[in-house]
Amino acid sequence: MYLAKLYVTHKPSILDPQGEAIKNALHNLKFQNVSSITQGKYFEMKLDNDNKKDAEQIVKDACKELLVNQNMETYHYDIKEV
Amino acid sequence: MYLAKLYVTHKPSILDPQGEAIKNALHNLKFQNVSSITQGKYFEMKLDNDNKKDAEQIVKDACKELLVNQNMETYHYDIKEV
């Protein structure tokens, strides 16, 4: 069994109004030292596979077919046996 | 300057209908090997601090005061100088 941790973030070229809104809220709360913040998605996925290569392929396919909007988002992941 | 990577997840005791919905969608797409999945939030925060201890305190306070619903969610973070 493998555990994949998957991080989905906006592509840097895409305008991030959500991050700007959070930054403004933090500045209003006196966290002036936060110079930038972006919010993305974080998935923890457990996979019933014995083979790391197969598990990685599932993670990539699941990102492509469901979890990631590849027009606007990019992702990276860590995978380890559990 | 420090970069904090912040991972916000549901507490395990909280029902996670979003994770169930994603799991069902993945199973319908023939990803039967995904035995569980949870979705959380992922923040990347840049901090204008020279001191790691101060930067960590800001991350913790920002979580407490804005970013994390401590009733339902838990968080962990990594912080490094950049």
Side-chain angles (χ1 to χ4, degrees):
Chain A
M1 182 172 268
Y2 284 86
L3 174 65
K5 294 183 178 183
L6 174 64
Y7 314 94
V8 181
T9 50
H10 274 81
K11 286 185 179 171
S13 56
I14 300 283
L15 189 69
D16 181 11
Q18 187 181 26
E20 284 299 306
I22 298 169
K23 190 172 81 174
N24 290 341
L26 287 170
H27 284 189
N28 291 339
L29 288 168
K30 313 293 173 221
F31 298 112
Q32 310 290 352
N33 281 9
V34 178
S35 61
S36 79
I37 183 164
T38 59
Q39 180 174 347
K41 288 180 279 188
Y42 170 62
F43 296 95
E44 284 185 359
M45 197 189 298
K46 281 192 187 139
L47 297 134
D48 283 329
N49 284 75
D50 298 327
N51 179 314
K52 188 172 180 181
K53 209 174 157 191
D54 291 347
E56 281 197 71
Q57 195 58 51
I58 290 173
V59 172
K60 286 181 195 170
D61 289 345
C63 286
K64 196 173 162 187
E65 293 183 34
L66 185 71
L67 301 173
V68 178
N69 173 353
Q70 298 203 65
N71 299 317
M72 293 177 59
E73 294 171 335
T74 183
Y75 69 95
H76 62 283
Y77 62 88
D78 303 321
I79 192 163
K80 64 175 184 187
E81 196 160 11
V82 286
Chain B
M1 181 172 268
Y2 285 85
L3 174 66
K5 295 183 177 183
L6 174 65
Y7 314 95
V8 181
T9 51
H10 275 82
K11 285 185 180 172
S13 57
I14 300 282
L15 188 70
D16 181 13
Q18 187 181 26
E20 285 301 306
I22 297 169
K23 189 172 81 174
N24 290 341
L26 287 170
H27 285 189
N28 290 339
L29 288 168
K30 312 294 174 222
F31 299 111
Q32 311 289 352
N33 282 8
V34 178
S35 61
S36 78
I37 183 165
T38 59
Q39 182 175 347
K41 287 180 278 186
Y42 170 62
F43 296 95
E44 286 185 356
M45 195 190 297
K46 281 193 187 138
L47 297 133
D48 282 328
N49 283 74
D50 298 328
N51 179 314
K52 189 172 180 180
K53 211 175 157 193
D54 291 347
E56 280 197 72
Q57 195 58 51
I58 290 173
V59 172
K60 287 181 194 169
D61 289 345
C63 286
K64 197 171 163 190
E65 294 182 33
L66 186 71
L67 302 173
V68 179
N69 174 354
Q70 298 204 64
N71 299 316
M72 294 177 60
E73 296 171 332
T74 184
Y75 70 95
H76 62 283
Y77 62 88
D78 304 320
I79 192 164
K80 65 175 182 184
E81 195 161 10
V82 286

